């Protein structure tokens, strides 16, 4: 069964303290892996798409990487405004014309000033 | 460029009632997906519509149904509401049925009492 597991569930950092969020996935065939940011009461905001092992994407203080079994979201020198829930999702092959995306439960990131 | 808009933002219904949630897709997007997000969980795929036809469905009972209109707006209908249907319902649109880079709306918070 296709599955996405994110860790840790919650992470509290001091402003400027770099860290990484993990996303482990099991799919029959990976069509794409996505990272989203979600603020309380809002819909997810798209950050990155990764398609193949070894690929990396960067945006401001965020960098996403992908291996064959997991993805990491690295946060460098975070600021309080980076506080949010970060969601990982995979789009699996084998759904004919459907493009179901499977989400993990997310990591709640809190950055203290 | 307009984003994805959902209405209403909040809704309270009684168990057994029926509800209709609405979504206006981002301009140029012909694929719409609906997700259910329980508190503290990642979004769960309900179904997807592409060119007015259902294009894939998650593990939700038939009392969850949908429509997509020629202008690519969409509705999610839920009959015989149950307490466990209380959640944030998210609509996401994309420019093609590949699904990557979804744009999410802010969601409708449904409370069933």
């Amino acid at each position: 069964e296709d599955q996405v597991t994110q860790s840790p569930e919650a992470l509290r950092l001091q402003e400027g303290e770099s860290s990484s969020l993990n996303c482990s996935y099991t799919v029959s065939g990976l069509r794409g892996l996505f990272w989203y940011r979600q603020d309380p009461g809002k819909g997810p905001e798209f950050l990155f798409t990764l398609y193949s092992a070894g690929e990396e994407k960067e945006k401001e203080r965020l960098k996403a990487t992908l291996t064959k079994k997991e993805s990491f979201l690295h946060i460098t020198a975070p600021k309080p405004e980076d506080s949010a829930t970060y969601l990982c999702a995979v789009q699996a092959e084998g759904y004919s014309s459907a493009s179901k995306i499977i989400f993990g439960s997310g990591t709640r990131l809190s950055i203290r000033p | 460029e307009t984003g994805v808009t959902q209405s209403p933002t909040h809704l309270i219904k009684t168990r057994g009632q029926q509800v209709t949630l609405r979504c206006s897709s981002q301009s140029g997007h012909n694929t719409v997906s609906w997700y259910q997000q329980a508190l503290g969980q990642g979004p769960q795929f309900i179904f997807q519509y592409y060119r007015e036809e259902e294009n894939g469905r998650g593990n939700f009972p038939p009392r969850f149904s949908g429509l997509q209109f020629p202008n690519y707006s969409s509705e999610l209908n839920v009959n015989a509401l149950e307490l466990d249907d209380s959640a944030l319902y998210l609509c996401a649109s994309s420019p093609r049925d590949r699904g990557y880079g979804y744009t999410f709306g802010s969601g409708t918070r449904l409370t069933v009492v």
Side-chain angles (χ1 to χ4, degrees):
Chain A
E1 182 182 341
D2 298 330
Q3 197 168 12
V4 178
T5 303
Q6 291 188 247
S7 62
E9 290 186 7
L11 181 62
R12 296 186 68 186
L13 300 172
Q14 198 70 33
E15 184 174 1
E17 180 185 1
S18 301
S19 188
S20 297
L21 313 182
N22 177 264
C23 171
S24 298
Y25 63 90
T26 304
V27 292
S28 53
L30 181 68
R31 183 176 282 182
L33 183 140
F34 314 95
W35 283 97
Y36 286 85
R37 168 191 171 129
Q38 187 173 26
D39 293 301
K42 299 289 183 66
E45 175 190 347
F46 173 74
L47 293 174
F48 304 109
T49 306
L50 301 167
Y51 296 106
S52 57
E55 190 174 358
E56 299 182 352
K57 295 274 181 74
E58 286 190 66
K59 180 180 180 180
E60 296 181 356
R61 295 176 291 281
L62 300 176
K63 178 179 171 181
T65 61
L66 180 65
T67 72
K68 289 186 177 179
K69 293 294 183 186
E70 57 190 351
S71 176
F72 293 93
L73 184 65
H74 307 278
I75 302 177
T76 303
K79 299 181 178 181
E81 54 262 41
D82 295 323
S83 297
T85 295
Y86 290 84
L87 294 166
C88 172
V90 297
Q91 183 179 28
E93 298 281 2
Y95 285 98
S96 63
S97 59
S99 53
K100 184 172 81 170
I101 292 182
I102 304 163
F103 281 84
S105 295
T107 293
R108 294 188 308 280
L109 177 66
S110 176
I111 309 298
R112 300 189 300 272
Chain B
E1 174 180 276
T2 58
V4 176
T5 56
Q6 293 186 242
S7 62
T9 55
H10 296 83
L11 200 54
I12 299 175
K13 288 286 189 177
T14 303
R15 189 173 51 182
Q17 285 188 315
Q18 177 267 343
V19 68
T20 297
L21 310 182
R22 294 178 174 83
C23 171
S24 178
S25 300
Q26 183 165 323
S27 177
H29 288 189
N30 57 14
T31 301
V32 64
S33 300
W34 285 91
Y35 284 81
Q36 180 195 67
Q37 187 175 25
L39 204 60
Q41 300 297 314
Q44 298 293 313
F45 176 72
I46 302 175
F47 45 57
Q48 183 182 80
Y49 279 81
Y50 173 61
R51 294 182 176 175
E52 303 176 53
E53 293 193 3
E54 190 177 290
N55 190 40
R57 190 178 185 91
N59 295 325
F60 281 81
R63 60 189 183 84
F64 286 77
S65 63
L67 283 173
Q68 186 183 30
F69 300 100
N71 65 355
Y72 304 134
S73 65
S74 177
E75 288 182 353
L76 165 65
N77 299 289
V78 187
N79 293 322
L81 284 167
E82 300 177 0
L83 297 179
D84 286 348
D85 295 334
S86 296
L88 180 67
Y89 287 85
L90 295 162
C91 170
S93 72
S94 63
R96 47 189 156 172
D97 65 346
R98 292 291 302 277
Y100 49 79
Y102 280 170
T103 301
F104 280 85
S106 293
T108 294
R109 172 69 63 187
L110 173 65
T111 302
V112 182
V113 298

